[in-house]
Amino acid sequence: MSEVKYSKEHEWIKIDGDTAVVGITQHATEMLGDIVFVELPEIGSSVVKDGNAGVVESTKAASDIYTPVSGEIIENNQAIVDDPAKVNNDPENDAWFFKLKITDKSEMDSLMNKEEYEKFSKESGS
C-alpha cells in the first residue's frame, strides 16, 4: 500500500516499498503561477533529505525543488521537462518530478500527512 506525505517546502512524496515518487503540491503551483521550465536531477545521482534536487521556473519566480528523503534517483519525468505546463494541470499525479530508491525510511517520520499539510499551508501563508 502506498502512502503520501508532504514537506514544508511543498513537495509531496508517495512511498511504495523502498521507492518513492516526488512532486510539488497543488498549493505550490498556485503560488508559482504558470510554470515555464523544469530541471530534474540526473538518473543515478544521490540526493539527501531537504537537499536541492531540481529547479522549477514560472512566469513569477524560480524555485528550487527539494527531496523530502535521501536516496538515489532512478527515474525522472521527461514529459514535464518537454511540457512544463503539465505541472500546473496535474501536479499531484501525472506531473511527478522524479522517482528514487529510499536509503533511510526513518526520514519519513518528519513529514506531514495531508491534513497536517493543509493546516500548515493555511497557517504559514506560503
Side-chain angles (χ1 to χ4, degrees):
M1 187 172 121
S2 61
E3 177 182 15
V4 180
K5 295 282 196 164
Y6 299 85
S7 74
K8 290 183 177 180
E9 289 76 31
H10 305 286
E11 282 88 25
W12 57 265
I13 181 168
K14 184 177 182 180
I15 306 298
D16 190 4
D18 289 338
T19 60
V21 181
V22 177
I24 63 173
T25 65
Q26 180 72 41
H27 182 76
T29 63
E30 290 166 2
M31 290 188 306
L32 286 166
D34 294 333
I35 295 173
V36 297
F37 175 79
V38 175
E39 180 182 312
L40 300 174
E42 288 188 32
I43 294 170
S45 62
S46 293
V47 291
V48 294
K49 179 176 172 47
D50 299 327
N52 187 316
V55 175
V56 62
E57 292 181 14
S58 71
T59 54
K60 289 187 196 177
S63 182
D64 289 331
I65 302 301
Y66 301 97
T67 179
V69 296
S70 301
E72 178 185 341
I73 303 299
I74 56 173
E75 188 177 344
N76 58 38
N77 189 353
Q78 188 62 39
I80 64 170
V81 174
D82 296 340
D83 184 5
K86 288 179 187 247
V87 178
N88 291 103
N89 297 330
D90 195 14
E92 296 191 33
N93 290 297
D94 290 340
W96 53 273
F97 280 61
F98 56 88
K99 295 181 181 180
L100 56 81
K101 183 169 178 58
I102 302 167
T103 54
D104 184 356
K105 280 191 159 182
S106 70
E107 293 176 341
M108 294 291 296
D109 297 342
S110 65
L111 301 174
M112 297 174 275
N113 65 31
K114 187 163 186 69
E115 292 77 25
E116 291 166 334
Y117 174 73
E118 288 173 354
K119 183 179 179 191
F120 165 78
S121 296
K122 286 177 185 164
E123 289 176 355
S124 70
S126 65

